[in-house]
Amino acid sequence: MSAFNVAKFGGTSVANFEAMSRCAEIIANNPQTKLVVSSACSGVTNILVELANGVKDESQRAQLINKLRTIHTDIMSQLNDISSIKQRVEALIDKVATLSEAASIATSAKLTDHLVACGERMSTHILTRLMQERGINAVRFDIRGVLKTDSKYGKAEPNLNATKQLATERLVPLCQQHVVVTQGFIGSDADNETTTLGRGGSDYSAALIAEAVGAAGLEIWTDVPGIYTTDPRIAPNARPIPEISFSEASEMANFGAKILHPSTLLPALRHQIPVFVGSSKAPQEGGTWVRQSVESAPLFRALALRNNQTMVTLRNPKMFQAYGFLADVFTVLAEHKISVDLVTTSEVSVSLTLDQTDTCGGAPELPAQAQKELEQLCTVEVKQGLSLVALIGNNMSETKGSAAEVFDTLDAFNIRMICYGASPHNLCFLLDEDEAKQAVKALHEELFE
Ligand code: ASP
Ligand code: MG
């Protein structure tokens, strides 16, 4: 095991010169940090996605590209000497312009990945230079030479063995001499085509890289000082959680706490790498440690909220006392690579929610072809405008009265679907989007305050 840490900085942490300077300070203050994984500057990926979706109007396209140029040149203008990076960043902006023009004629997932990858490629040039000017022995490294994935553009899956091998050969030796700065979110497939891991994928990248180099720790620097009992914007009395277990944190990430990308903890868990989550704006405030074993295991730990839920209800009266219906349904879903989140069943129906973390954002759609195939088995009803609330804790399903406490509080709300008991760590339910925040607030007051 290497004795160094991997530190990941999110988009807001590298949004501008001041933010990047704070990152450099955090890195300089911890000699154990040898590998830095950076997101694109805040807002950049959104612009790139817009361009990749095809902006037909030329002046509108030019405007967006100008916006990108400004974000990056603003930071560069505050550096002392940019002779080593100026041309490289400009070349990437030119590349964005060329690819955007191509996307305005015909879009493709492959082109999109090529385009959106430019964000991280630019930010890492600038961050590396800034760190060098702060006296850090920083070098930039193109992660596409290490992080290998399949070719599922927009949401590529990592090839762990290839990544580990390349990391051992190319990355670990470099980290012995330097502080290496590299890109989150992006990778490359077997043909060396650029791929991305899905929106918000930098956390996941950082965890995969930490796993591949056998890191001692993974630091996720973001814009909030750690994981809270719930989003403080919803419940002002939400409290920071100093320490949380991998299982609880995974449930939270899966069920919508925006702090970590849902896949982030898998590599960390596989390799038992402790994960720290903190704010690069206020490192002195500390943050949350995610570890295998933690000192306390409270009944209720946190509340997570996720909007943009799509619920699919499948009904077939013939399902009553028959067999094989669910198998048929899930075969169709599997064939269309549709990932399902929650499932509840009754005698004649099954309701499920669809999962989505790919580049498009928004509520996931049930693909038309999948719907057609499902309609041959049953009636299909799709409902959007829903939110998922997840209560995370320990031994809830084995603790008398815990469900009653929750549902008494929710008496006034219209609950659409409940999942309880499958995991000892969560109880979750679906309700209308416009009621969800109130429900979280009420539950927080009742269970946590
Ligand atoms: N820049 C990418 C995004 O905005 C990846 C990330 O920041 O995690 O989705
Ligand atoms: Mg991000």
Side-chain angles (χ1 to χ4, degrees):
M1 200 181 229
S2 21
F4 63 80
N5 276 7
V6 173
K8 180 259 172 178
F9 294 91
T12 50
S13 298
V14 294
N16 52 44
F17 182 77
E18 289 70 34
M20 279 197 187
S21 303
R22 285 192 292 266
C23 298
E25 207 178 310
I26 289 171
I27 297 158
N29 282 342
N30 187 356
Q32 222 193 322
T33 305
K34 291 287 186 191
L35 187 46
V36 173
V37 176
S38 177
S39 288
C41 305
S42 181
V44 166
T45 311
N46 288 346
I47 298 176
L48 293 170
V49 168
E50 193 177 342
L51 289 166
N53 288 340
V55 177
K56 296 242 183 282
D57 184 73
E58 212 179 313
S59 73
Q60 199 189 337
R61 220 163 53 227
Q63 231 173 37
L64 289 170
I65 291 162
N66 238 337
K67 237 167 141 180
L68 284 178
R69 185 175 288 115
T70 310
I71 293 174
H72 297 96
T73 49
D74 265 2
I75 311 179
M76 288 200 288
S77 69
Q78 297 176 71
L79 291 167
N80 297 326
D81 175 8
I82 52 165
S83 53
S84 59
I85 59 164
K86 188 167 184 282
Q87 277 180 353
R88 299 205 164 114
V89 174
E90 275 168 7
L92 283 164
I93 302 261
D94 290 344
K95 192 182 178 80
V96 168
T98 316
L99 295 174
S100 307
E101 197 183 335
S104 74
I105 299 159
T107 60
S108 82
K110 185 170 165 179
L111 177 62
T112 299
D113 273 4
H114 229 90
L115 226 170
V116 299
C118 293
E120 272 71 8
R121 293 173 65 195
M122 290 190 278
S123 66
T124 45
H125 273 303
I126 302 174
L127 181 61
T128 308
R129 183 63 209 141
L130 185 141
M131 285 166 60
Q132 289 166 349
E133 292 195 357
R134 296 286 190 283
I136 301 169
N137 181 15
V139 286
R140 178 179 179 276
F141 182 85
D142 192 326
I143 202 63
R144 292 173 299 172
V146 163
L147 211 162
K148 300 307 281 187
T149 69
D150 65 9
S151 303
K152 208 170 141 211
Y153 300 110
K155 201 185 177 186
E157 296 288 342
N159 177 335
L160 300 180
N161 289 335
T163 301
K164 170 137 193 94
Q165 196 190 330
L166 289 164
T168 311
E169 279 167 25
R170 299 177 182 177
L171 206 47
V172 174
L174 207 57
C175 295
Q176 249 106 59
Q177 312 286 331
H178 298 93
V179 177
V180 179
V181 180
T182 196
Q183 304 79 24
F185 182 50
I186 72 174
S188 73
D189 68 6
D191 297 325
N192 295 323
E193 294 289 350
T194 302
T195 55
T196 65
L197 303 181
R199 287 308 304 268
S202 288
D203 290 343
Y204 187 30
S205 289
L208 289 166
I209 297 165
E211 178 182 36
V213 299
L218 170 61
E219 306 159 31
I220 305 276
W221 293 99
T222 168
D223 53 3
V224 288
I227 301 174
Y228 274 59
T229 48
T230 197
D231 185 340
R233 284 167 303 186
I234 300 174
N237 292 329
R239 297 184 304 272
I241 304 170
E243 204 188 40
I244 187 171
S245 71
F246 275 121
S247 342
E248 293 168 295
S250 309
E251 300 276 359
M252 279 194 80
N254 270 319
F255 290 114
K258 287 250 172 56
I259 300 167
L260 290 175
H261 181 278
S263 310
T264 309
L265 294 168
L266 295 173
L269 182 61
R270 280 195 296 260
H271 270 73
Q272 305 281 307
I273 303 168
V275 179
F276 173 81
V277 184
S279 164
S280 64
K281 279 194 192 124
Q284 74 286 353
E285 280 184 32
T288 301
W289 278 101
V290 188
R291 294 197 175 95
Q292 175 66 11
S293 52
V294 293
E295 271 177 20
S296 74
L299 179 61
F300 302 126
R301 175 74 88 179
L303 275 163
L305 169 66
R306 188 164 64 186
N307 293 326
N308 283 326
Q309 295 296 294
T310 303
M311 178 167 82
V312 179
T313 303
L314 307 165
R315 279 192 194 84
N316 182 353
K318 286 191 226 130
M319 185 175 154
F320 184 64
Q321 291 185 345
Y323 52 84
F325 174 66
L326 286 181
D328 294 341
V329 164
F330 280 92
T331 304
V332 173
L333 296 172
E335 273 165 6
H336 289 273
K337 293 202 161 69
I338 298 169
S339 161
V340 168
D341 233 11
L342 303 184
V343 187
T344 56
T345 62
S346 78
E347 270 299 358
V348 294
S349 63
V350 47
S351 288
L352 42 90
T353 62
L354 305 182
D355 203 20
Q356 186 184 60
T357 43
D358 67 10
T359 326
C360 327
E365 302 282 341
L366 180 65
Q369 184 56 31
Q371 175 149 357
K372 233 167 106 184
E373 286 168 33
L374 288 170
E375 276 165 354
Q376 295 181 346
L377 304 169
C378 53
T379 64
V380 180
E381 187 194 323
V382 180
K383 187 162 177 2
Q384 294 185 324
L386 298 170
S387 294
L388 173 73
V389 175
L391 175 60
I392 318 293
N394 295 281
N395 302 318
M396 283 186 284
S397 47
E398 285 110 59
T399 307
K400 273 192 192 137
S402 62
E405 210 177 338
V406 172
F407 291 111
D408 284 350
T409 313
L410 295 173
D411 207 26
F413 296 91
N414 180 13
I415 299 170
R416 303 270 180 171
M417 176 176 178
I418 300 169
C419 283
Y420 183 44
S423 157
H425 295 294
N426 84 57
L427 182 172
C428 41
F429 50 89
L430 220 52
L431 32 88
D432 288 337
E433 217 156 74
D434 49 7
E435 285 194 334
K437 281 189 183 160
Q438 264 172 286
V440 169
K441 197 160 178 268
L443 276 177
H444 195 273
E445 274 167 17
E446 182 62 30
L447 308 177
F448 294 85
E449 291 174 25

